[in-house]
Each structure stands twice: as C-alpha cells, then as structure tokens.
Amino acid sequence: MTVTRALDGRLIVRFAGGLTIRLADVVALSGLSLAILLAAAASLTVGSTPVGMADAIAVLWHGPDASDLSFAVWDVRLPRILMGILVGASVALTGAMLQSLAQNPLADPGLLGLSQGSMTALLVIFVFLPGLPQGWLPLAALAGGLAVGVLLVILVGRANAGGMAILLMGIAVETSLSSVTSILLLYTPPEVSLALADWMAGSMFRASWQSLATFTPWFALGVPAILFLGRALRSYDLGDQMAMSLGENLSFSKPVILVTAVLLTSAAVSAVGPLAFLGVMAPHLANFISPASGRARLLLSAAVGALLVVCADMLTRGLAGELPLPTGLAIVMLGVPMFITTLRLRSARRMRGQ
Amino acid sequence: MNGRRYPAMAGILAIAIIAFIANLSFGASAMSPRSVVTALFAFDPDNYDHFVVFYQRLPRALIAVFLGAVMACGGAVLQGLTRNPLASPGILGVSSGAMLFVVIAAFLLDVPSQGQGLAAILGGFFGFLSCLLVTRLIVSSKEPHGLAFILSGAVLSMLHGAIANTIMLSSPSRRSDFLSWATGNINHVYVDRLRDFWWLGALGLVMLLAMARPLTLITLGRDKAASAGVDVTRITWLSIGAVVVSVSVAVAICGPIGFVGLVTPHIVRPLVGASFRLALPANAVLGAAICLLADLAARSAFAPHVLNTGIMMDLLGGIVFALIVKRYYLSASERGAWR
C-alpha cells in the first residue's frame, strides 16, 4: 500500500492488486467502517432483553453460554447484525453497479423487478418443490432474477429510451409478478404463508447463523468478483462508445457483470427478502458523502448500504414491542424521499448541462 | 368510425349484462342464470339460493359495478386531461392517498365508518396534489411525455402503502379486519358503505358527463379549447375534483383496486372514439364489466382458494401497463426522444 500524488494533485492510495483509491475516499471508507462498527455495537444492546454495552461486549468476549443474555446477543442479535451488514452491502453494490452499466442513476434491483423475480422463483420452489435443500435457494432466486432481467432487455430492446421508461417497465413487471406471488401464496400451508409474508416484506426477523452460513459463500464469491470486474467501471461511466474506444470488450464484460450483480441480490433476497430502494439510496448517499468514481464508488456505496440496514434493523428491533415493523418497510419510508431527491438533483444537473 | 360506434356501445352493454349475470351465477354453488333472474325479480326469502344471490352476491356485484364505472371514467378523464396514456387514478396517487387517509382515520383517530369516507376524499386530494407537487419538483422544465408524472405517482403510491402498512401493524387486532381491504378486495360486508356513499360517485359521474363537450375539446388541445370558449382551468379542476371524489369513495368501499382505470379507456377509445359524450358511458359500462369478470375470476379461478380482486386486477394491469409503456414510449418512432 503506497500513497502517491496523482496528476491532478490529489493524493491517491495504491493497494495490492492494482486497486487505487483517492486518499479522501479511503478516509471516508474508514469513517463509514467505524460508523458501521459503532452502529453494530449499539445494535447489540437494543431489543426486548435490555443489555448494557459493557455486558454485551463481555458476552461476546467470553463466547456463548446458556444464559438469556448470551442467547439474546449470540443467537438473535449478532446474526441479524452480520446479515444486515452483508445484505446491505450486497444490495447497495448491485445498485451502484447497475447504475453504471445502464447509465441510469435510478436503476435499483428492487424497482426494476429483479428482486420480485427472485421472490417469485422462490415461491414456485416452496409450492412445487418444498423438499429442496436451503443451499439451492439462491440459485433458484438467481434464475428468477435473471429471467426478469432478460424479459426487461427483450421488452426495452435496444431502444435507449432512457431512465424513466425502463423504470416504469420494471414497475409494471414487478406489479404483475407480485400478484403471481400472492396467487402462489394461496397454495402454501397457513403457517408457511405467515412466515413468508414476513420475509416478503423484507425482514431480518428470521436471520440466523444458518441463513448467514447459506448467504456468506455467495457474498464471498460475488463481491470480489464484482470489484474485479468493476476495474473498468470508470470507462463505463463515460458511455458505451467511449468505453469501447478505450478498449473495453462490452459484449463480454457487460453480461458477466450483470449476472454477477443479479446473483448477489438474488442471494440477498433469498436470505432476507427484497429491500427496495436501497440500491438507489445507498449510492446516492455515498455520492453525497464523497463523490467518487469507479470501484471507490462501489465500496463507498456498499459501506453506506450496510450502515443503513444495520440502523434500520436496530430501529425496527427497538420498536418491535409496539410495532413489528419489517426492515424493508422502514427502508421504503426512508428510500422514497431520497429517491425523489435523486430525481430532483438529476433534473437540476440536466438543466445546468443544457 | 361513426357507423361503428353504436354497435360497439351495444356490444359493450351486452358484455356487461352477461358479466353481471355470470357474476351472480357462479360461486361456491353454481346456479342457472334463470334462477338468478327470478331471485332478482321475484325474491323468495325462504329459498336458500335466492338468499345467497340477494344478500351475498348482489352486494358484491353492485360494488364491482360502482368501482368499475367510477375508476374507468376517472381513468378516461385523467388520460384525456394529461394527454398521457398511462394516467389513471390508481397510478397518480389518488387511490393510495385515499387508502392512507382511511387507515389514519380508522387506526389513529378512531373515526367511525361514515367519517372514513370523508377521510378517503381528503386523502384522494392529498394523493393527487402530492403527486403534482413531486412532479413539479423533479422536472423543472416542461417534459413532453409525462413520464415524470407517472413515476412520481408510482413511487408515492409505494410510500403511501408503506406508511399505511406501518400504521396497520401498530394494532394487530384491527389489522386483520383491514388487511384484505388494503390490498383491494370486493367484500359484501362493506355494502353499507356503498349505501352511504354511492350518491357521491354518481354525482361525480353526472358532473363529468355534463362537462363532456368541454372535456373533449380540452383533450384536443388546451389552446383550441380556449379559443372555442371553454374556461380551461375551471373545467380541468372541476373534472379532477369529480374524479378524485368518486374514486376516493370507491376506495373507501373496496380498497385500492387500480388498473381498471388504466385499462378500460384503452379498449374503449378505438371502439367508440375520443368524444367523451359517448366514451364516458362506454367506459363506465365496460369498466363495470371488467370488474365483474375480475371479481368472478378472483373468486372461482383458484377454487377452493379465494383471491382478492385487487390482486387479480394487478396481474392484468401490470401486463397492460407494460404493453402501453412499450407501445408509447419504446416504439421505434419514440426511440431516444426523451431521457
């Protein structure tokens, strides 16, 4: 790791493996990581069993035992928090990546219907193949997400009608698919459909060490892959033609990146359900904290996404006594105003550009 | 075109009558259309079939007719006024706003059923105006295709839905009463609301019909309408008011069942033409027929399970929405026109 001065006079940090990030972004990333750590620690103390911060850290230090305290910290809260970090980072990363690929600052795996596609596929599995082992679920989810992606590509075609039309197409697909999931839900036993309803709203209630173990391999595979594939991200941001003239093989790399990104969200959806708007919200907030490009933008978005989900989870767990609010709903309520702000800033930029 | 209009209207009416009788005939127990007709015209209180038709299926069918008529006319008028093929009360925030306010009134303010209708009307106006406001916020210049308007409505509807769901979660016991209403369900239990509020919807439709000529002129162009002596601003706001009031009342009865308002005008327009004097009645009748059929499908297609009518309508509506986006915004001539 070396620090050098770039042509424009900014300090940049070179990591092993050719990853270079501006010093300012490294500082922002460290700050965000610290914030995630603090939020996670605070989150350990929130919930129906009151736990002091010192006690929580002591329990973590000594390892799990048979006490109530240990159960609350080790078996309920820690897996939820870890899941929140991984899932938040995944969805935000996918959102940032889709936005660069589609050159559309509004792209979001939830709004485009990809998450709904994954969910529909999972419900098909639950109804028709209930015996399938849990480890296969992310693959089924991937198939559903990809199917929606292909459908969108077919429907939108090569017409570059831009942001809003594609987004509306995604919303249309999402609407139809969500009624298909409702119909499929009719054919599940009542106790299963109640559990599924929770999950369909996007919730951390059911995060456990087991679901974490299912999700982690996909995360460990998908995130480095996206970061590796994303090394040419800066040239994508300049537009397809520019990227091609810079020597990018778009017909190969674009589909590969898309599949990897969809895989990552699909795995997240099968773990905790869809988190709509997170993929739009996190990159936008990251841009606000430190306007970066390329892979630094991806990393910052992922950190913001993780922080948002950890905070939303803490909030919903704190409220759980009075209001069993699914994390997904909390994120929608945060996300819509943020989305509208994004649209507003985008049009303001366009006005200035004209 | 002229020669085809009246046969088309007659066809639509025939479809609606068949849909009405079919809706009354099928269900947990099927009956012949003949016994349905006798139940309606010569009601025998001791006959079980008559009882089912009169007290369970007829209220549902009447709610479906009301909903379909009001939503379809609302969609036709909003599509004409905004000159946007995707406009409809379900999409521009009216339905979701009305639903949000009903939930607030019922859960947070303990307003009785009658007052919930008023809350729905306030909510309908709130939803529409917030959609307008957000559109103004996100597009600074006049944007030709109106996509921002639709997108604002779609996103705001999600927000309204999320808030309403959160409020409902705060009271689990009452939530179960509202849950199927909130996803849009025709339920004969709510027929007393139809009895209380139907006149508001009828009033809205009569107002729209009375404004049919100026509305048609506005559809052809605001300047042209103004030069023909139409008070464009007044007619616009009066008609929007009539649409919002009648749609909100429908939401108070059976929840946010959207999309019939989007779909119906697109079927009626090529058959009957753009003149609202004919198009409004045609929309009302066809909208009613579509709702009756969707209700029938929701009740019997997945037997023994019963689906909420709103979910059935979303399935149909999502597909039609995608087709409209494809045809109007992604066709060759429009390619890249607006980003």
Side-chain angles (χ1 to χ4, degrees):
Chain A
M1 192 178 109
T2 53
V3 180
T4 50
R5 191 174 284 278
L7 287 175
D8 61 355
R10 290 194 180 122
L11 290 174
I12 57 172
V13 184
R14 287 181 194 285
F15 291 91
L19 179 63
T20 56
I21 299 179
R22 289 184 318 188
L23 187 62
D25 296 335
V26 175
V27 173
L29 266 176
S30 321
L32 280 170
S33 311
L34 189 67
I36 294 173
L37 212 61
L38 288 178
S43 186
L44 277 177
T45 67
V46 177
S48 53
T49 314
V51 182
M53 182 73 89
D55 288 343
I57 292 170
V59 168
L60 270 189
W61 184 254
H62 291 298
D65 56 45
S67 67
D68 284 354
L69 208 65
S70 160
F71 177 77
V73 170
W74 273 96
D75 294 329
V76 180
R77 293 179 197 172
L78 195 57
R80 275 180 74 152
I81 292 166
L82 291 177
M83 188 62 113
I85 293 175
L86 296 191
V87 162
S90 305
V91 175
L93 198 64
T94 311
M97 198 77 202
L98 287 178
Q99 286 154 29
S100 281
L101 280 187
Q103 285 177 48
N104 179 350
L106 309 175
D108 172 278
L111 283 184
L112 285 175
L114 301 176
S115 308
Q116 193 69 49
S118 302
M119 215 152 64
T120 312
L122 287 175
L123 266 160
V124 169
I125 296 288
F126 287 141
V127 172
F128 296 106
L129 291 170
L132 205 72
Q134 247 204 339
W136 287 93
L137 294 183
L139 277 185
L142 171 68
L146 279 182
V148 170
V150 170
L151 183 68
L152 278 182
V153 169
I154 291 171
L155 283 173
V156 174
R158 289 233 155 265
N160 194 3
M164 292 193 186
I166 294 174
L167 215 59
L168 285 174
M169 195 60 108
I171 291 174
V173 171
E174 198 203 328
T175 311
S176 295
L177 283 179
S178 82
S179 45
V180 173
T181 43
S182 302
I183 293 171
L184 287 170
L185 212 53
L186 290 176
Y187 293 93
T188 53
E191 71 279 2
V192 177
S193 61
L194 270 182
L196 285 178
D198 248 7
W199 165 76
M200 280 165 60
S203 98
M204 302 282 159
F205 291 149
R206 260 154 242 282
S208 62
W209 288 111
Q210 198 202 351
S211 59
L212 202 58
T214 313
F215 179 63
T216 311
W218 300 102
F219 183 84
L221 215 76
V223 171
I226 286 196
L227 287 178
F228 175 72
L229 292 165
R231 67 196 185 287
L233 206 59
R234 262 174 239 184
S235 38
Y236 294 129
D237 287 337
L238 299 173
D240 280 3
Q241 286 184 343
M242 190 59 124
M244 273 191 278
S245 63
L246 285 170
E248 294 305 327
N249 181 358
L250 289 183
S251 54
F252 169 74
S253 52
K254 264 196 166 180
V256 173
I257 295 179
L258 263 182
V259 171
T260 320
V262 175
L263 176 65
L264 204 54
T265 19
S266 308
V269 168
S270 47
V272 300
L275 299 173
F277 289 105
L278 186 64
V280 168
M281 195 165 41
H284 176 66
L285 272 180
N287 193 49
F288 187 69
I289 293 169
S290 171
S293 64
R295 282 184 280 184
R297 175 164 171 271
L298 291 185
L299 287 172
L300 281 168
S301 307
V304 172
L307 184 63
L308 280 175
V309 176
V310 170
C311 290
D313 175 48
M314 176 159 54
L315 178 79
T316 52
R317 187 143 31 90
L319 289 174
E322 298 119 57
L323 188 68
L325 183 68
T327 318
L329 272 188
I331 290 178
V332 169
M333 284 188 282
L334 270 175
V336 172
M338 194 78 72
F339 183 76
I340 292 169
T341 318
T342 316
L343 284 168
R344 163 106 187 103
L345 292 174
R346 177 170 169 260
S347 79
R349 246 199 321 276
R350 183 156 295 165
M351 284 298 281
R352 253 181 279 130
Q354 272 165 3
Chain B
M1 183 73 147
N2 264 325
R4 263 194 6 226
R5 278 182 192 171
Y6 290 98
M9 299 265 303
I12 290 173
L13 191 63
I15 292 172
I17 291 171
I18 293 170
F20 189 76
I21 305 233
N23 186 292
L24 291 180
S25 308
F26 295 106
S29 64
M31 300 166 205
S32 69
R34 173 194 284 258
S35 65
V36 168
V37 174
T38 39
L40 291 183
F41 291 105
F43 179 63
D44 172 12
D46 297 327
N47 184 327
Y48 179 71
D49 278 359
H50 285 196
F51 192 84
V52 168
V53 167
F54 208 80
Y55 288 106
Q56 286 189 355
R57 294 188 191 166
L58 186 62
R60 281 187 76 120
L62 289 179
I63 292 176
V65 168
F66 179 77
L67 171 78
V70 155
M71 287 300 240
C73 289
V77 169
L78 288 181
Q79 283 176 19
L81 285 179
T82 59
R83 302 231 250 160
N84 188 326
L86 290 169
S88 88
I91 288 159
L92 295 180
V94 180
S95 301
S96 63
M99 172 187 122
L100 175 62
F101 273 45
V102 169
V103 169
I104 290 177
F107 281 72
L108 302 182
L109 307 173
D110 283 318
V111 173
S113 180
Q114 289 254 339
Q116 287 173 21
L118 187 67
I121 293 173
L122 287 177
F125 279 108
F126 166 80
F128 187 76
L129 292 179
S130 58
C131 184
L132 269 184
L133 187 75
V134 167
T135 312
R136 285 275 163 81
L137 263 176
I138 65 179
V139 279
S140 8
S141 58
K142 220 169 167 50
E143 174 250 312
H145 291 273
L147 279 177
F149 199 26
I150 304 296
L151 190 62
S152 317
V155 174
L156 276 176
S157 299
M158 292 183 204
L159 180 63
H160 294 157
I163 298 175
N165 269 314
T166 306
I167 294 173
M168 278 162 45
L169 281 168
S170 67
S171 168
S173 54
R174 268 186 294 177
R175 177 168 182 259
S176 50
D177 296 341
F178 273 78
L179 202 54
S180 75
W181 171 85
T183 51
N185 192 21
I186 295 177
N187 188 337
H188 62 267
V189 173
Y190 288 120
V191 74
D192 54 335
R193 293 198 178 175
L194 182 66
R195 201 172 48 225
D196 291 342
F197 303 134
W198 68 271
W199 59 273
L200 277 171
L203 189 69
L205 292 189
V206 170
M207 270 176 72
L208 290 179
L209 206 55
M211 290 185 284
R213 190 180 157 272
L215 272 176
T216 310
L217 287 170
I218 291 177
T219 316
L220 299 175
R222 283 170 182 273
D223 299 340
K224 278 184 202 161
S227 66
V230 174
D231 185 346
V232 174
T233 320
R234 211 179 71 159
I235 294 289
T236 304
W237 284 108
L238 267 180
S239 54
I240 286 177
V243 168
V244 170
V245 167
S246 50
V247 166
S248 307
V249 163
V251 171
I253 297 167
C254 47
I257 300 182
F259 285 119
V260 62
L262 172 73
V263 176
T264 321
H266 284 279
I267 306 174
V268 167
R269 204 168 297 125
L271 294 176
V272 180
S275 163
F276 277 120
R277 201 170 49 81
L278 283 181
L280 277 178
N283 267 298
V285 175
L286 188 64
I290 291 177
C291 276
L292 285 167
L293 291 175
D295 180 51
L296 183 62
R299 258 189 306 157
S300 40
F302 306 99
H305 303 288
V306 175
L307 197 65
N308 284 353
T309 318
I311 292 172
M312 200 73 216
M313 204 63 95
D314 279 355
L315 181 61
L316 171 73
I319 295 168
V320 174
F321 191 95
L323 292 177
I324 297 172
V325 172
K326 173 98 184 139
R327 175 162 166 212
Y328 287 88
Y329 296 102
L330 297 172
S331 63
S333 58
E334 300 280 349
R335 213 164 268 190
W338 190 79
R339 292 184 195 182

